[in-house]
Amino acid sequence: MTATKTERIKCLIIGSGPAGYTAAIYAARADMNPVMYTGMEPGGQLTTTTEVDNFPGYPDGIDGPTMMIQLQKQAERFGTQVRMGMVTEVEFSKEVGGIHRACIDNSTWVEAETVIISTGATAKYLGLPSEQRLRGGGVSACAVCDGFFYKNQQVAIVGGGDTAAEEATYLANICEKVTMLVRKDEMRASKAMQHRVTSTKNIDLRYNTEVDEVIGEQVVEGLRMINNETGEKEDIEITGLFIAIGHKPNTDIFKDQLEMDDTGYLITQGKSTKTNIPGVFASGDVQDKEYRQAVTAAGTGCMAALDAERYLATVESEAEETEKVSA
């Protein structure tokens, strides 16, 4: 560690998706002078989404990257400093009113009275070259987000857990046929979710089956499946492939400092965005493994900024009372 320089700010926002930008808008309007570091993926997961049709206020829809640019401009209009950079280390104070420290790109220390974490979660993919090439061209990690574009078409979904089962039944309601690929000889999903899948007529459930290749140049045109017991391959025609094998919250640098569940999602208190550290708040997908939508992320970004504002007001009020007593 060769970090040099130190800057003191009132509000540090780590991450730049819908949660981070919304937090920035509210924090800036509350005169908290927020500073945001965008991280490795400025704009978050929505920058890999071609069309966003389910965010309120866009009657004709909007593409993800454009939406993130607009959110950034709105945050900057109120005074948010948006900086390219990666938070590589944090040192959180456990004291109420304490100063939190964050290292940027292993070179610059920032000290902050409050920290809003909105680092998001990264969808897990299979890692196949054909899959990666067609992300945004028919390969998606969110059926609820993108399923509508495949109405009355044939699609496939990969996964065997509760999320995969839920998304498969969601797709079955709007698509002509859903082929569900489960790597093992049984699903990991709860019995209730398994029953929903097996009782849905237009879901073709394939056990011991994996993706061999996604077929198509610019868009998904088909899928080559392989039976991992027999080695037999089969091609089917589809227009959309949904990967539902889980997400990884981007919380590695917060380990041993912030409370998180066994999969790494940050734990917040009650209906607030408060973490176990005073003055540190979590918003968006980094603390939400249930909904994972842009609009819910934005909502928690608003909550985090309001929580941070109230925290600062309480700290300042207590400081004033202490000064009166000592005087």
Side-chain angles (χ1 to χ4, degrees), residues 16 25 36 98 101 128 159 197 236 257 266 287 316:
S16 54
I25 291 167
M36 170 189 285
R101 305 179 76 231
L128 298 171
V197 169
I236 59 172
Q257 295 193 67
L266 297 183
Q287 53 85 57
E316 290 169 4

Side-chain angles (χ1 to χ4, degrees), residues 183-185 207-210 226-232:
R183 184 167 54 91
K184 298 183 179 180
D185 59 1
Y207 291 111
N208 297 115
T209 305
E210 300 180 45
I226 182 169
N227 184 297
N228 55 31
E229 284 193 327
T230 65
E232 181 182 353

Side-chain angles (χ1 to χ4, degrees), residues 39 74 138 160 191 200 255 282 292:
Q74 187 174 1
K191 293 298 182 183
T200 303
K255 284 179 179 174
R292 293 195 296 263

Side-chain angles (χ1 to χ4, degrees), residues 188-200:
R188 292 183 292 105
S190 64
K191 293 298 182 183
M193 291 305 298
Q194 290 187 45
H195 179 69
R196 282 178 61 183
V197 169
T198 55
S199 62
T200 303

Side-chain angles (χ1 to χ4, degrees), residues 121-286:
T122 302
K124 295 178 182 178
Y125 284 89
L126 303 171
L128 298 171
S130 56
E131 169 207 44
Q132 296 301 306
R133 187 183 74 250
L134 290 167
R135 282 176 60 179
V139 174
S140 167
C142 183
V144 176
C145 310
D146 301 326
F148 176 81
F149 301 110
Y150 302 92
K151 192 172 183 180
N152 299 322
Q153 299 176 41
Q154 297 192 12
V155 300
I157 185 166
V158 180
D162 278 339
T163 299
E166 186 174 348
E167 295 200 339
T169 52
Y170 169 82
L171 290 168
N173 286 327
I174 57 177
C175 297
E176 180 184 332
K177 180 182 178 181
V178 179
T179 302
M180 186 174 186
L181 282 61
V182 179
R183 184 167 54 91
K184 298 183 179 180
D185 59 1
E186 61 180 4
M187 296 174 66
R188 292 183 292 105
S190 64
K191 293 298 182 183
M193 291 305 298
Q194 290 187 45
H195 179 69
R196 282 178 61 183
V197 169
T198 55
S199 62
T200 303
K201 293 182 179 180
N202 60 334
I203 294 180
D204 180 10
L205 184 57
R206 305 287 190 100
Y207 291 111
N208 297 115
T209 305
E210 300 180 45
V211 176
D212 186 62
E213 185 178 359
V214 188
I215 301 169
E217 288 302 318
Q218 302 299 320
V219 296
V220 173
E221 298 173 3
L223 185 69
R224 179 163 298 132
M225 306 180 295
I226 182 169
N227 184 297
N228 55 31
E229 284 193 327
T230 65
E232 181 182 353
K233 296 183 180 181
E234 179 185 351
D235 289 0
I236 59 172
E237 291 185 2
I238 60 168
T239 53
L241 173 63
F242 297 90
I243 311 299
I245 57 175
H247 289 72
K248 182 184 184 302
N250 302 318
T251 56
D252 286 350
I253 64 168
F254 308 119
K255 284 179 179 174
D256 301 322
Q257 295 193 67
L258 296 180
E259 290 182 355
M260 52 185 76
D261 67 13
D262 56 1
T263 54
Y265 285 89
L266 297 183
I267 296 173
T268 50
Q269 299 174 13
K271 293 183 179 180
S272 76
T273 61
K274 299 174 184 177
T275 67
N276 59 300
I277 298 290
V280 178
F281 308 90
S283 63
D285 288 10
V286 77

